[in-house]
Amino acid sequence: MPSTLPSTECMLVVRTDFSDQGAWEAVRAAIGEPDEGGYLEDYMLGVEYVDDVTYRELPVEQVVGLLTDDYESSLLAVVDEATIRSPEMPIVLVDLNELNEEYGRTMRVVPAELPSIEVNVHIGNMDFFEFADNADEDGVFRGFPE
């Protein structure tokens, strides 16, 4: 049985697929790419990567169950098999805001959009559902229509 996830103020990005080290490194690099809004510097202080084979192939629900009570972020990101195998690298994002009626709702998001979501949800500018409701038909949020 895997141990609980680290207690942190940061949003965790948990790796559950270990089939391709290069793809994992590409996901990490894509999350760290500068965004047009200039949020990168502030955002990068709010991410902690969990790269531990203990969490290999765990379903998202089980990963959520390993969070500690003092986990402060209202979001959790999971890099699973679908993330690793897709050229777009859509990461699973989970809403952990207990005040939301849809606690535990998930969507997929391309890495380039993750910083904007994290920042806007963290400062209370937007809610998770505003992004999830604007995901494409395949359930992946790629940004708001222009």
Side-chain angles (χ1 to χ4, degrees):
M1 177 69 177
S3 61
T4 58
L5 289 161
S7 175
T8 180
E9 295 177 3
C10 302
M11 178 180 70
L12 291 176
V13 178
V14 181
R15 180 182 186 186
T16 63
D17 184 285
F18 291 81
S19 64
D20 187 336
Q21 182 66 25
W24 164 246
E25 291 170 9
V27 170
R28 289 184 63 159
I31 291 171
E33 291 177 2
D35 64 314
E36 293 177 17
Y39 296 117
L40 182 62
E41 185 175 325
D42 292 333
Y43 170 73
M44 291 310 292
L45 298 174
V47 174
E48 185 174 324
Y49 294 98
V50 178
D51 184 7
D52 182 337
V53 295
T54 304
Y55 305 106
R56 179 189 309 268
E57 298 180 8
L58 290 182
V60 172
E61 299 79 19
Q62 193 169 352
V63 175
V64 170
L66 296 173
L67 291 168
T68 60
D69 290 339
D70 56 351
Y71 180 67
E72 294 188 28
S73 178
S74 61
L75 298 172
L76 173 71
V78 178
V79 176
D80 63 359
E81 181 180 8
T83 307
I84 296 298
R85 295 199 183 280
S86 171
E88 284 190 302
M89 303 178 287
I91 299 166
V92 179
L93 193 60
V94 184
D95 181 6
L96 299 174
N97 185 340
E98 294 179 348
L99 301 176
N100 290 343
E101 292 179 15
E102 297 181 323
Y103 175 86
R105 182 177 180 183
T106 63
M107 70 170 170
R108 288 195 176 267
V109 58
V110 293
E113 293 296 326
L114 193 57
S116 176
I117 295 171
E118 194 277 336
V119 168
N120 279 290
V121 170
H122 178 74
I123 65 173
N125 187 48
M126 297 178 78
D127 288 316
F128 183 90
F129 77 87
E130 293 176 87
F131 296 98
D133 289 353
N134 282 283
D136 293 336
E137 287 184 19
D138 62 358
V140 178
F141 181 80
R142 295 176 176 88
F144 290 105
E146 294 188 24

